[in-house]
Amino acid sequence: DGLLVYVPKGVAVEKTVQVINILRSDVNLMVNRRVLIVAEEGAEIKLLFCDHTADDREFLTTQVIEVFAGENAKVELYCMEETHARNVRLSNVYIRQERNSHVKHNIITLHNGTTRNKLDLTLAGEGAECQLSGCVIADKQQHVDNNTLVVHQAAHCTSRELYKYVLDEQATGAFAGRVYVAQGAQKTTSQMTNQNLTTTREAHMYTQPMLEIYADDVKCAHGSTVGQLNDAALFYMRQRGIPEKEARTLLQLAFIIA
């Protein structure tokens, strides 16, 4: 399937555009999706992509999303996956921003089999800003990768990243984030954060935040944490009559939304 979203110069789309993908088949199936989003100068749009499965079959889903944000454009892109354990998903998102544009990209994985999300974003014009967020909640044998590359080509640009994982049972997560500041991209501001919670000894998280800087007047930072549930908080909640399963769920939810 192919989808083109075109927003002309100066047009602001008031309502969020929602695209719902429901996987249905009597046999194992491969699905390929291609999306092109063009927001011209001064345009504004919000999009929500939702992936679901209706049949218990093996699905291989691939998608390529390209986003072009023109000068002073504002684009918000939200992607949510809630499929099943037999689904394999490969997603590639490419974003290019021009002068003074603003982009928000949020990706949420609530249930899946094996997922690999790749994001490449280029800040090509001065004053461009981006905010990248990710949320993963995984259990059983689920596997989720998030790989990001943010390239600061122009000066006075800002990028912020925050990815959070909650891994239960035998789930596996991976995050690899890289910020590249090109020579001449002075006054760059960049913050990359990856926070992870593994609730069992069998859950595994692999994290690798990276900075590659070729300019000397920048403010860049990155950090990563991997921790477990707070035993004292869990004990406190159980003392007050909350069952252990519910207490663990509440603590996981608090970690995600904090």
Side-chain angles (χ1 to χ4, degrees):
D1 294 333
L3 174 65
L4 169 64
V5 180
Y6 171 69
V7 189
K9 178 179 178 180
V11 173
V13 181
E14 295 182 0
K15 294 185 178 180
T16 301
V17 177
Q18 184 176 12
V19 180
I20 302 175
N21 301 287
I22 301 177
L23 298 173
R24 302 197 65 179
S25 178
D26 295 329
V27 296
N28 298 337
L29 183 68
M30 180 173 71
V31 179
N32 305 297
R33 182 167 67 232
R34 175 79 162 78
V35 180
L36 175 60
I37 302 166
V38 178
E40 290 192 336
E41 181 181 347
E44 298 182 19
I45 188 171
K46 297 179 182 179
L47 303 107
L48 170 61
F49 288 86
C50 301
D51 287 358
H52 305 281
T53 50
D55 295 313
D56 188 21
R57 296 292 179 180
E58 293 185 6
F59 292 101
L60 171 61
T61 63
T62 72
Q63 73 170 7
V64 174
I65 299 178
E66 288 186 273
V67 179
F68 174 80
E71 185 174 340
N72 293 306
K74 295 182 179 179
V75 178
E76 295 185 23
L77 176 61
Y78 302 87
C79 301
M80 184 186 73
E81 179 186 5
E82 190 175 15
T83 56
H84 60 45
R86 301 179 69 184
N87 185 61
V88 177
R89 181 176 188 266
L90 306 174
S91 172
N92 292 272
V93 178
Y94 303 93
I95 301 174
R96 181 179 178 86
Q97 296 185 231
E98 298 300 325
R99 180 187 296 269
N100 297 322
S101 61
H102 297 261
V103 168
K104 290 183 179 180
H105 179 265
N106 295 272
I107 188 162
I108 303 171
T109 305
L110 299 178
H111 197 274
N112 71 308
T114 300
T115 297
R116 183 177 181 85
N117 300 313
K118 186 174 184 293
L119 169 65
D120 286 6
L121 185 146
T122 300
L123 299 162
E126 288 192 13
E129 296 184 9
C130 71
Q131 180 178 322
L132 313 177
S133 303
C135 169
V136 175
I137 300 176
D139 58 8
K140 301 180 178 67
Q141 285 80 39
Q142 294 171 232
H143 183 104
V144 184
D145 285 4
N146 278 295
N147 294 341
T148 68
L149 170 62
V150 177
V151 178
H152 286 259
Q153 283 187 349
H156 300 278
C157 292
T158 301
S159 65
R160 296 182 178 89
E161 292 184 63
L162 174 60
Y163 281 76
K164 288 187 174 184
Y165 286 66
V166 173
L167 305 176
D168 201 357
E169 298 181 359
Q170 293 85 41
T172 303
F175 172 80
R178 180 183 170 208
V179 173
Y180 178 94
V181 181
Q183 186 175 0
Q186 306 293 354
K187 304 297 182 180
T188 288
T189 301
S190 178
Q191 174 67 51
M192 180 197 304
T193 304
N194 175 221
Q195 298 175 344
N196 310 286
L197 183 66
T198 55
T199 63
T200 67
R201 291 183 177 273
E202 292 75 25
H204 293 86
M205 181 67 200
Y206 303 91
T207 177
Q208 188 179 21
M210 295 170 281
L211 295 175
E212 188 172 348
I213 302 172
Y214 296 98
D216 55 10
D217 187 6
V218 301
K219 294 180 181 179
C220 298
H222 67 299
S224 177
T225 60
V226 180
Q228 298 177 337
L229 287 176
N230 189 314
D231 291 336
L234 186 61
F235 179 73
Y236 178 87
M237 297 173 72
R238 295 189 65 190
Q239 272 189 321
R240 276 141 186 83
I242 301 176
E244 181 178 358
K245 184 177 180 180
E246 293 182 17
R248 294 171 67 90
T249 301
L250 288 172
L251 288 175
Q252 294 173 19
L253 179 62
F255 172 80
I256 284 291
I257 66 177

